Amino acid sequence: MKSVARNQASFQFLIPIFATMIIGLASTAVFAVPTYAFQTGTAAIVSGVTDTGSHCDDCVTNVALPFSFSLYGIGYTTVNVGANGNIQFTGNATFAGSDGLPDFHYTDTILALQTDLRTDQLGGGIYTSVSGAAPNRIFNIEWRAVLFSNPGLSVNFEVRLFEGTNRFEIIYGAIAVNGSSQTVGVEKDNTDFTQFAGNTAGTLFAGLALIAASPTAAGVSIGGQVLTANGNAIGKARVSLTASNGETLYALTNPFGYYRFENVAVGGTYVLAVVSKRYSIAPQAISVTGEMTELNFIAEP
C-alpha cells in the first residue's frame, strides 16, 4: 500500500511538469511564420512568346531560367512546369487534383492554379518571355489551358519570377472554372507553406494579382489564436489582414490555432478576418500602435 501511495504521489508531482512541457512545445510551434506572405493587387498578363513544348494532359516540362531565382532560400536555374498549373523547383509530379496545402505531392512548388488542366487545345500551351534588363529582369511563364472536365472552358494565368529576389507574382487573365476546385499558394513542405485558396470552388477574377515575398524584419508582429466557443483550437483557418488601402496579407492557422503576420506598419488601421469551413467568426477592426500578439478570435457557437 505504501508503494502504491508513493507511486501516486510521484505521478501527481509529475503532472505539472508534463503540462509545462506540453505548453512549452506548443509555444515553440505556434510562432513558426510561413516564409512567404501574399498581398493582392491588379495587373495584366505579359504575353509569353517562347513555346515550352507543353501541349498535353498531366505532363511536366523542364524549362531553363534566364537567371537564378531563389525559392525558400535556394537558387535554381531550371524548373519543371506542370500543365496542371504549377511550377516545381524540386520534383516532377503529374498530380491532377486540388487537395489544398500542405499537399504531399509537392515540395518547393508554386501552385498558380492547381487543378486538372490540359494544354493541348488549339492555341494552347505554356509560353515564356523576359521583361526588363539585367539585373532586374522578370521571367514570365504563361498558361493557355482548358479544364480537363470541360475543354470549352479556358483559363489564362501567369507566374512572374523576379531576378535577384525571392519575389514572384501570379497574374490571372480570363478564368472560366465553372465551379471546379483549385488550389493557389506556395509550398516548401508540410510545415512551411502559404495558401491563398485551398481546394476552393469558384472563379478567380480577371486582373487579380497575387504578390508573394518573404516578410522583412521591419514593422511589428500581429498575431493571436482562433478558437471555438469551448476553447478548442481551429487549425487551417485562413486569416486575412486588410489595410485601409485595400492591400491584403493572408496567413493560415497552425494545428494549435495560431496565426501571425510580420512587417505590419505601425500607425495603420486594418481589418482582421477569419474564414473557416465549419465556423462563423466576426472580423475585427484594429489600429496598430505596436506588437499585438493576442488578437484572438472566438467562433460563434
Side-chain angles (χ1 to χ4, degrees), residues 36-86:
Y36 279 94
F38 282 117
Q39 292 181 314
T40 59
T42 57
I45 286 177
V46 178
S47 294
V49 295
T50 301
D51 189 345
T52 66
S54 175
H55 302 281
C56 59
D57 175 35
D58 297 341
C59 69
V60 175
T61 305
N62 185 258
V63 174
L65 303 180
F67 49 77
S68 177
F69 177 79
S70 177
L71 186 79
Y72 291 108
I74 304 296
Y76 298 91
T77 56
T78 65
V79 293
N80 290 321
V81 178
N84 291 320
N86 59 71

Side-chain angles (χ1 to χ4, degrees), residues 48-264:
V49 295
T50 301
D51 189 345
T52 66
S54 175
H55 302 281
C56 59
D57 175 35
D58 297 341
C59 69
V60 175
T61 305
N62 185 258
V63 174
L65 303 180
F67 49 77
S68 177
F69 177 79
S70 177
L71 186 79
Y72 291 108
I74 304 296
Y76 298 91
T77 56
T78 65
V79 293
N80 290 321
V81 178
N84 291 320
N86 59 71
I87 299 177
Q88 301 174 58
F89 290 76
T90 57
N92 59 355
T94 58
F95 177 59
S98 178
D99 283 351
L101 300 183
D103 186 331
F104 73 90
H105 296 94
Y106 298 110
T107 58
D108 303 309
T109 299
I110 297 171
L111 298 98
L113 192 73
Q114 174 65 38
T115 191
D116 197 357
L117 302 174
R118 54 192 305 170
T119 57
D120 57 355
Q121 80 280 16
L122 181 64
I126 300 175
Y127 299 82
T128 65
S129 64
V130 179
S131 303
N136 299 305
R137 290 170 292 180
I138 304 170
F139 190 53
N140 311 296
I141 305 172
E142 180 195 4
W143 277 256
R144 303 170 192 170
V146 296
L147 294 184
F148 176 83
S149 59
N150 190 339
L153 297 179
S154 61
V155 294
N156 182 215
F157 56 95
E158 178 175 79
V159 174
R160 310 187 75 201
L161 307 178
F162 288 74
E163 183 177 12
T165 74
N166 54 23
R167 174 187 171 188
F168 66 88
E169 295 180 354
I170 308 173
I171 313 298
Y172 298 95
I175 301 291
V177 294
N178 195 34
S180 66
S181 295
Q182 58 271 170
T183 293
V184 175
V186 57
E187 177 173 0
K188 175 177 175 58
D189 51 36
N190 62 0
T191 61
D192 192 351
F193 57 90
T194 307
Q195 178 173 270
F196 178 77
N199 195 24
T200 302
T203 299
L204 295 171
F205 297 102
L208 174 67
L210 297 181
I211 302 98
S214 297
T216 66
V220 297
S221 298
I222 300 297
Q225 193 175 19
V226 181
L227 303 164
T228 64
N230 59 2
N232 293 325
I234 301 176
K236 293 187 178 181
R238 190 174 76 165
V239 185
S240 62
L241 179 70
T242 303
S244 56
N245 63 1
E247 292 186 354
T248 304
L249 298 176
Y250 294 91
L252 201 66
T253 58
N254 69 9
F256 301 99
Y258 284 87
Y259 70 93
R260 187 167 177 173
F261 296 97
E262 299 287 351
N263 193 32
V264 179

